[in-house]
Amino acid sequence: MRRLINDPYEVVEEMLQGYVKVHQDYVKLLDHDKRVIVTTNPVPGKVGVIIGGGSGHEPLFLGYVGKNFADAAVIGNINTSPSPEPCYNSVKAVDQGKGCIYLYGNYAGDVMNFDMGAEMAADDGIRVETVLVTDDVISSSNIDERRGIAGDLFVFKAAAAAAAKGLDLDAVVKAARKCNDNTRSMGVALSSSTIPVKGGTIFEMEDGDMEIGMGIHGEPGVRRGKIEPADKVVDEIMKYILADIELKEGDEVYALVNGLGGLPLMDQYILFNRVEEVLTEKGIKIHKGMVGNYATSMDMIGMGITLVKLDDELKELLDYPTDTPYLSIR
């Protein structure tokens, strides 16, 4: 394992301590719960936006707490849901009487523990609604059962912009669901990530192999084979995404090539070049393109492609100004 850490059982705590020291103008840890990051610049009178999940996907979750984005992020152990108590504590920290929304990827542990946090908040008279992100097209034929991957970013952003505009909780939920319904992703892995407490990889993959459709925790994809040229990989992934989302000539999209932690930016831009060519051939316009590590799997070598089908409402929400350590829109 080629990592620079101290105690493998303390990596999350030490990461969070370092993160808030770097980004103290944006965030702080709750005094009574060091697994909850909250904004240092709360906006009065709005719906509370809470995101979260397991560690290891940085900057996902903690990197998107800030102005006009998330008010809090709840952080679990590596690839593990946060427990119910910090989920509840996040609500108590950011609720301003307008209720809160939980936003996270559709994983069983997250669903169970965030739901328990919402029940605890309900006992205090605080309304909490949940929207699950289900953008990974290959994870299930049933959309409601799909897992959330890099599409998390866009669903979080849409909901947060609706809250920042002063909309009520029902409208914020509606915005999040609309964005989720119009977001599709799929990825490829060329290696496993490494887990500090294990001191090695999650699964075995031969050097020179790749797996199309693998999830960010190592969930099985659709096929494994030798690494192929970038354009061929993009074409295969785009075939699955475009078959699952209704796009026609003249439509506009947000398009993201998301690095999983170990793939060079050089490769990511080569991949995006082909994404743009495929969409242009179909008469689909990229409203905004994004390349970089937005939702990782620690040091996994790989990437994912995400498309968001836009209309005027989603375009306004996703373009809405925000300022966080890992995403700023002006």
Side-chain angles (χ1 to χ4, degrees):
M1 187 174 70
R2 287 172 285 189
R3 304 280 298 270
L4 293 173
I5 61 170
N6 297 308
D7 184 341
Y9 291 94
E10 297 293 330
V11 290
V12 176
E13 284 72 17
E14 292 186 1
M15 171 189 70
L16 294 175
Q17 291 167 16
Y19 183 81
V20 298
K21 288 174 181 176
V22 172
H23 300 296
Q24 57 188 299
D25 290 344
Y26 291 92
V27 294
K28 64 181 180 180
L29 291 170
L30 284 186
D31 290 337
H32 59 287
D33 194 330
K34 301 303 183 182
R35 289 302 184 94
V36 180
I37 286 179
V38 295
T39 178
T40 54
N41 301 290
V43 176
K46 64 182 282 293
V47 169
V49 177
I50 300 167
I51 61 179
S55 298
H57 308 302
E58 295 75 33
L60 190 60
F61 309 128
L62 54 77
Y64 307 122
V65 177
K67 182 180 179 181
N68 294 343
F69 215 142
D71 299 295
V74 192
I75 308 299
N77 288 325
I78 293 174
N79 291 347
T80 305
S81 169
S83 62
E85 186 173 6
C87 297
Y88 165 70
N89 288 337
S90 69
V91 173
K92 295 292 286 185
V94 305
D95 176 61
Q96 300 189 58
K98 300 294 181 68
C100 297
I101 184 170
Y102 282 154
L103 300 157
Y104 53 88
N106 185 26
Y107 298 92
D110 291 308
V111 172
M112 179 177 68
N113 290 343
F114 274 96
D115 278 356
M116 291 176 66
E119 291 170 3
M120 295 163 69
D123 290 341
D124 290 340
I126 304 173
R127 181 184 170 203
V128 179
E129 296 291 335
T130 297
V131 174
L132 304 178
V133 185
T134 57
D135 59 306
D136 189 347
V137 299
I138 210 61
S139 54
S140 176
S141 58
N142 183 345
I143 292 177
D144 291 338
E145 295 177 356
R146 291 176 178 176
R147 58 198 175 219
I149 46 177
D152 283 3
L153 176 68
F154 297 103
V155 179
F156 297 172
K157 177 69 177 68
K165 292 174 66 175
L167 302 184
D168 64 18
L169 182 54
D170 289 332
V172 173
V173 168
K174 183 178 179 182
R177 287 177 176 160
K178 180 175 182 177
C179 189
N180 185 64
D181 289 344
N182 287 279
T183 301
R184 300 290 190 276
S185 303
M186 185 173 166
V188 60
L190 283 65
S191 76
S192 171
S193 56
T194 54
I195 303 295
V197 295
K198 182 180 178 182
T201 58
I202 305 175
F203 57 87
E204 296 301 320
M205 180 177 284
E206 295 292 329
D207 287 345
D209 280 0
M210 67 176 187
E211 185 159 339
I212 298 285
M214 178 171 281
I216 58 175
H217 306 109
E219 298 94 341
V222 294
R223 72 173 183 90
R224 184 176 292 200
K226 295 301 178 183
I227 296 173
E228 298 170 344
D231 285 1
K232 189 172 181 181
V233 173
V234 169
D235 288 350
E236 182 169 356
I237 291 174
M238 289 291 281
K239 179 183 69 175
Y240 281 99
I241 293 176
L242 292 173
D244 203 81
I245 188 171
E246 293 184 7
L247 286 170
K248 61 183 185 300
E249 186 175 354
D251 282 343
E252 291 185 88
V253 297
Y254 255 82
L256 166 67
V257 168
N258 173 65
L260 292 176
L263 188 70
L265 276 171
M266 175 184 286
D267 303 32
Q268 295 179 40
Y269 281 109
I270 291 170
L271 292 156
F272 187 90
N273 183 58
R274 182 57 183 164
V275 170
E276 188 277 337
E277 290 175 349
V278 171
L279 292 173
T280 297
E281 288 168 5
K282 296 182 177 299
I284 299 164
K285 179 183 176 182
I286 295 178
H287 172 64
K288 284 192 178 176
M290 299 170 65
V291 168
N293 295 346
Y294 291 91
T296 69
S297 185
M298 290 178 288
D299 53 345
M300 182 182 283
I301 302 172
M303 68 90 190
I305 297 169
T306 300
L307 299 182
V308 185
K309 180 182 177 181
L310 299 173
D311 62 7
D312 289 342
E313 179 187 13
L314 284 178
K315 190 182 296 185
E316 180 183 356
L317 292 172
L318 295 179
D319 287 348
Y320 197 79
T322 187
D323 184 23
T324 76
Y326 283 89
L327 184 67
S328 292
I329 298 174
R330 293 179 173 81

